[in-house]
Amino acid sequence: MKLRTPSLLYLVCITSLLFILSESTQPPFSCDASDPATKSYPFCETTLPITQRVRDLVSRLTLGEKISQLVNSAPAIPRLGIPDYQWWSEALHGLAVSRGLRFNGTIRSATSFPQAVGIEGRAIYNVGQAMGLTFWAPNINIFRDPRWGRGQETPGEDPLVTGKYAVSYVRGIQGDSFEGGKLGENLQASACCKHFTAYDLDNWKGVTRYVFNANVSLQDLADTYQPPFQSCIEEGKASGVMCAYNRVNGVPNCADYNLLSKTARGQWGFNGYITADCDAVATIYEQQGYFKVPEDAAADVLKAGMDVDCGSYLLKYTKSAVEKRKLSLSEIDRALYNLFSIRMRLGLFNGNPVKQPFGNIGLDQICSQEHQNLALEAARNGIVLLKNAKKLLPLSKTETTSLAVIGPNADSEQTLLGNYAGPPCKTITPLKGLQSYAKDTRFHQGCSAVNCSSAFTDQAMNVATRADRVVLVMGLDQTQEREKFDRVDLVLPPKQQNLISAIARDAKNPIILVLLSGGPIDISFAKNDPHIGSILWAGYPGEAGGRALAEIIFGDHNPGGRLPVTWYPQSYTNIPMTDMRMRPEPSSGYPGRTYRFYQGPKVFEFGYGLSYSNYTYEFLPVKRNKVYLHNQVSSHVVGTSNPPGYIPVSKIGTEVCDKIKHQVTVRVENNGEMAGRHSLLLFVRPANMSNMRPVKQLVAFQSVNLKAGERAEIELELRPCEHLSLANEDGTMVIEEGSYFLSIGDKEIEIQAVK
């Protein structure tokens, strides 16, 4: 997982998604034109609106049939010609083994992109190897705490980046254009934004996601936890949302009417289905003890707005909830309406899908050279150069006489893939990639595993000291960070760190350290060690990660990746992971979270990343350095908690907000000797700091390809109502009058917000 600012947006625009399940050669569908028993049903009439078709279908179901469709493994209804359907498939960064797909038929692999991106097409569904077209991705929770085991699945800690990623991912999977809306109600496949909401703890010191009650202020909900989901729904037009296991301020997410119905559907206009995370409904009763009887759990999640249960709880208790008058049939019908609407939007009630709009997507889409090239490009652009003392990198292809490659991650195919992965098309490990550049390459694992419980220090040292150059490929893997397993430390396993330092000390020349991990690591020891000349962080870079690393190490690619999260020191683990507060509290010593609020020492900052080139910036004169807010809005609005000088965005109005948008132009120049892809990160910071405000905030980002010596002028849009606003204590978005500074690199310009 990395903030590939270059690759975040374009990776997800591939208009396909792989589906793998059975040995069948025909996809399951309803309304077969050759079946006279079903083609006469109104729900099979494609000229009718989907709303009318769904109502007709639901009206034909018995109570038992209705209840059977409320779970992820929805059985067939043979009398109506409706096949079974599996709602649960995974595609975090390429197809993953899950209930809805397997790799045991014609297709046995799929392109594995870097975490956390990836999409291929509906091709395998058309071959008949899938039971569903609903994919439970992306994960757009904020990477709030560096110890979170699932942080690797997310785009990072910044709400803007996460929201942009969500929109791009959803549009790519669902087959929509980046302008949005081109497909109307039709879906190539269905994306599901998860986990709604404030979910970012799995299992930390005995506190599990199943029982955790996240105490979150309205302020932090409004400007940190909720914005990615709002973007996913309003801009991305996601057709699915998953409610999370945890409670927020005492209320289980999947039983929260205000969250699911009032906010998602009412305020944001969500038009799709809402699924529970797996066994979340059972958890509400059995582990959280929120309800007195199981029927209350079944009834309340449906009344809250949830539609499908990943599990069997609704199958077991919905009928008795109806019989005990805890649940009305209309709530069941409402859920079924949402579920069958999605299946119809996917074209699964329009006859044979192969003959429908997406029917021409075939096997040539799977592991195509185009997709594999894209996986390589994403890996290249996502790798982050953290240290390059005395320009050690890139290594010379002609002068590097011998190379030692050491480490438990150097030749591990599985580590490259991260979690929620399927079998890749082909995998190039770092060792294999480096061997293609240096014929005299010597390898030693160094440790039996990344925890280095068995370290082969003497053997590894023998290999290292005989080589001209040494590359250590170390870091973490899924034994150290994963779903249901949060870290308790931020440092490398002690024996691994000792091995790194020992080899660095005795090697002929300064060594190169490559780290594979999903979360940040305190590598202060390596950052400050003169024997470690260069450090690269690759995240979990997917099937082509080894080749991308080798290209960067030997200078065939100029690194340009940026860190998507703050890298904290080990002392940060003194803060309880259960503390959800984003903002600092100086009086208690609480330092805050993420680059936006954290006030403490850092190993590396959010957005940090070196290059083989040096880039310089210049702000061109702005057309307006004053942002005039609505003249008729009082700076103190009665009935709100806003102090004087704070103006609610809602009072400014959409018309004025649109008028005050403007472009900021930045001239960027590549002063190096190599061409490179460079990410421009535009931040805003207030002239006057307060505990309410972020220290700084990313407001725009864009990548640009520049040849050596080339310059370009890049326009970035400033939207004051969004970019200068913050949430007050009751969650209202407000703009504070006064001065702000826009910054890129070491350059700043001042703007003012005035009435």
Side-chain angles (χ1 to χ4, degrees):
M1 186 232 74
K2 28 200 158 309
L3 169 62
R4 308 170 181 85
T5 44
S7 59
L8 263 178
L9 297 180
Y10 79 81
L11 249 188
V12 290
C13 70
I14 293 212
T15 55
S16 10
L17 218 142
L18 294 178
F19 297 83
I20 322 265
L21 184 63
S22 68
E23 299 278 348
S24 170
T25 58
Q26 180 168 287
F29 62 91
S30 301
C31 304
D32 190 341
S34 63
D35 183 358
T38 61
K39 69 177 184 179
S40 62
Y41 292 134
F43 68 77
C44 289
E45 180 51 66
T46 59
T47 60
L48 295 176
I50 284 180
T51 53
Q52 186 175 338
R53 296 172 66 192
V54 170
R55 290 193 186 98
D56 175 74
L57 189 158
V58 173
S59 71
R60 296 174 185 275
L61 302 179
T62 66
L63 178 58
E65 289 169 338
K66 289 180 178 181
I67 292 172
S68 75
Q69 300 296 303
L70 297 176
V71 293
N72 63 287
S73 299
I77 305 174
R79 69 181 184 86
L80 297 176
I82 299 174
D84 54 357
Y85 186 83
Q86 178 55 252
W87 288 91
W88 182 7
S89 293
E90 300 285 357
L92 176 68
H93 57 108
L95 289 196
V97 175
S98 50
R99 294 287 180 88
L101 14 136
R102 293 195 296 267
F103 296 84
N104 62 351
T106 305
I107 304 306
R108 296 182 177 274
S109 61
T111 309
S112 178
F113 296 92
Q115 296 237 111
V117 251
I119 358 187
E120 279 193 358
R122 130 178 334 217
I124 303 299
Y125 184 84
N126 291 341
V127 180
Q129 291 183 228
M131 285 181 63
L133 287 164
T134 40
F135 283 73
W136 291 354
N139 183 339
I140 57 170
N141 295 115
I142 295 297
F143 200 165
R144 169 189 62 93
D145 190 288
R147 293 163 285 188
W148 186 30
R150 298 188 74 178
Q152 60 182 287
E153 301 175 25
T154 76
E157 68 182 35
D158 180 74
L160 174 74
V161 171
T162 304
K164 295 287 188 184
Y165 165 78
V167 171
S168 299
Y169 186 105
V170 168
R171 288 178 177 173
I173 280 197
Q174 295 187 173
D176 210 344
S177 73
F178 275 70
E179 287 74 32
K182 296 292 185 181
L183 289 177
E185 62 184 12
N186 296 323
L187 295 171
Q188 174 182 258
S190 172
C192 176
C193 290
K194 64 183 185 183
H195 309 81
F196 197 38
T197 187
Y199 165 72
D200 47 25
L201 177 150
D202 269 65
N203 188 345
W204 177 77
K205 294 187 176 181
V207 179
T208 72
R209 59 186 180 176
Y210 306 114
V211 298
F212 179 51
N213 179 29
N215 290 308
V216 186
S217 69
L218 294 175
Q219 188 175 41
D220 287 340
L221 273 174
D223 68 7
T224 298
Y225 295 105
Q226 296 289 61
F229 289 96
Q230 185 173 0
S231 296
C232 179
I233 290 170
E234 289 186 341
E235 297 179 58
K237 307 298 182 186
S239 52
V241 165
M242 177 184 286
C243 52
Y245 290 109
N246 59 293
R247 290 172 288 165
V248 173
N249 300 328
V251 182
N253 278 309
C254 292
D256 190 342
Y257 177 84
N258 286 330
L259 180 69
L260 305 185
S261 293
K262 287 187 67 176
T263 300
R265 295 194 188 278
Q267 294 178 21
W268 299 343
F270 176 58
N271 178 27
Y273 77 99
I274 297 176
T275 180
D277 207 336
C278 294
D279 292 323
V281 180
T283 296
I284 295 172
Y285 170 72
E286 295 175 356
Q287 297 194 45
Q288 296 176 5
Y290 190 76
F291 295 111
K292 294 182 178 179
V293 295
E295 287 82 0
D296 285 339
D300 274 40
V301 294
L302 288 170
K303 289 190 287 188
M306 198 196 80
D307 302 308
V308 63
D309 173 19
C310 180
S312 59
Y313 224 64
L314 291 189
L315 200 62
K316 294 177 180 177
Y317 297 108
T318 300
K319 184 176 180 181
S320 56
V322 172
E323 292 172 344
K324 293 178 181 180
R325 298 186 178 181
K326 294 176 179 290
L327 179 68
S328 68
L329 292 177
S330 63
E331 295 292 352
I332 297 175
D333 289 350
R334 177 205 56 77
L336 293 173
Y337 174 86
N338 292 329
L339 295 175
F340 281 110
S341 290
I342 294 298
R343 291 171 67 173
M344 287 189 182
R345 291 175 65 188
L346 288 164
L348 305 186
F349 283 78
N350 296 349
N352 193 334
V354 176
K355 300 178 181 179
Q356 303 305 321
F358 299 112
N360 61 349
I361 299 175
L363 294 179
D364 58 347
Q365 294 288 332
I366 302 159
C367 290
S368 68
Q369 192 59 52
E370 180 185 3
H371 292 181
Q372 292 182 61
N373 291 345
L374 185 61
L376 173 60
E377 186 68 14
R380 288 168 176 156
N381 291 332
I383 292 170
V384 184
L385 180 62
L386 297 175
K387 179 181 179 181
N388 198 26
K390 299 180 180 179
K391 297 183 178 181
L392 171 60
L393 293 180
L395 297 181
S396 169
K397 299 172 189 175
T398 56
E399 297 177 8
T400 303
T401 58
S402 60
L403 186 69
V405 181
I406 298 171
N409 281 336
D411 200 32
S412 172
E413 294 185 1
Q414 193 59 42
T415 301
L416 293 175
L417 305 182
N419 67 348
Y420 281 94
C425 307
K426 61 180 179 181
T427 304
I428 301 174
T429 65
L431 174 62
K432 292 175 183 175
L434 290 166
Q435 284 174 332
S436 68
Y437 280 90
K439 292 182 179 180
D440 186 5
T441 297
R442 307 157 191 179
F443 167 65
H444 196 281
Q445 192 175 358
C447 301
S448 58
V450 295
N451 64 4
C452 284
S453 57
S454 297
F456 313 115
T457 305
D458 292 342
Q459 300 95 314
M461 292 279 285
N462 184 48
V463 172
T465 55
R466 293 162 54 195
D468 178 36
R469 295 292 181 183
V470 178
V471 178
L472 296 183
V473 189
M474 312 298 274
L476 308 177
D477 62 13
Q478 299 304 300
T479 67
Q480 305 296 304
E481 53 178 358
R482 64 183 184 274
E483 187 171 5
K484 300 183 183 179
F485 190 85
D486 299 320
R487 289 188 286 165
V488 293
D489 289 304
L490 295 180
V491 292
L492 290 170
K495 290 185 178 180
Q496 185 188 137
Q497 181 171 321
N498 292 340
L499 178 64
I500 293 170
S501 296
I503 291 176
R505 183 176 59 249
D506 289 354
K508 293 180 181 178
N509 294 297
I511 69 163
I512 298 144
L513 175 62
V514 174
L515 296 170
L516 302 185
S517 74
I521 307 170
D522 181 354
I523 52 167
S524 299
F525 80 97
K527 179 181 178 182
N528 299 321
D529 188 341
H531 299 106
I532 299 176
S534 297
I535 304 173
L536 289 160
W537 180 65
Y540 295 125
E543 64 177 41
R547 178 177 170 185
L549 278 164
E551 289 179 350
I552 287 173
I553 289 171
F554 280 95
D556 280 341
H557 183 78
N558 192 350
R562 304 293 192 98
L563 291 179
V565 291
T566 303
W567 284 38
Y568 302 88
Q570 169 69 4
S571 59
Y572 196 80
T573 59
N574 294 328
I575 299 169
M577 195 173 170
T578 51
D579 195 324
M580 301 293 289
R581 290 176 296 170
M582 298 301 299
R583 288 161 167 82
E585 190 177 275
S587 62
S588 66
Y590 183 71
R593 293 187 179 275
T594 76
Y595 82 95
R596 295 166 61 232
F597 300 105
Y598 174 62
Q599 297 178 359
K602 308 174 187 71
V603 181
F604 294 107
E605 290 193 337
F606 168 88
Y608 179 81
L610 303 174
S611 170
Y612 297 153
S613 296
N614 177 45
Y615 295 90
T616 56
Y617 313 101
E618 179 186 356
F619 281 104
L620 299 189
V622 293
K623 295 179 180 178
R624 58 172 89 166
N625 58 8
K626 289 188 177 181
V627 176
Y628 290 95
L629 307 175
H630 200 305
N631 291 328
Q632 298 178 5
V633 175
S634 169
S635 63
H636 180 64
V637 180
V638 177
T640 74
S641 58
N642 305 314
Y646 287 87
I647 303 172
V649 173
S650 61
K651 299 295 182 182
I652 298 173
T654 303
E655 184 178 350
V656 173
C657 285
D658 288 339
K659 285 182 179 179
I660 59 178
K661 294 177 185 177
H662 61 279
Q663 301 295 318
V664 176
T665 305
V666 179
R667 179 179 293 144
V668 57
E669 183 173 355
N670 180 352
N671 295 305
E673 298 177 355
M674 290 182 65
R677 185 181 179 94
H678 185 63
S679 297
L680 298 171
L681 307 181
L682 179 67
F683 292 93
V684 65
R685 68 173 181 87
N688 298 313
M689 277 301 303
S690 70
N691 283 344
M692 285 181 64
R693 298 211 65 94
V695 176
K696 64 177 181 179
Q697 171 113 5
L698 184 69
V699 297
F701 59 95
Q702 185 172 326
S703 60
V704 56
N705 291 305
L706 292 175
K707 299 175 183 177
E710 186 180 6
R711 66 170 60 176
E713 294 182 0
I714 306 299
E715 289 189 342
L716 301 168
E717 185 176 58
L718 181 68
R719 301 191 295 275
C721 288
E722 177 184 344
H723 297 154
L724 303 186
S725 64
L726 73 151
N728 66 9
E729 292 182 356
D730 65 12
T732 301
M733 300 305 295
V734 298
I735 297 179
E736 181 182 12
E737 297 176 67
S739 294
Y740 297 83
F741 291 93
L742 298 176
S743 66
I744 287 186
D746 59 351
K747 295 293 190 293
E748 285 191 334
I749 57 169
E750 184 178 5
I751 61 171
Q752 291 185 322
V754 296
K755 282 203 304 177

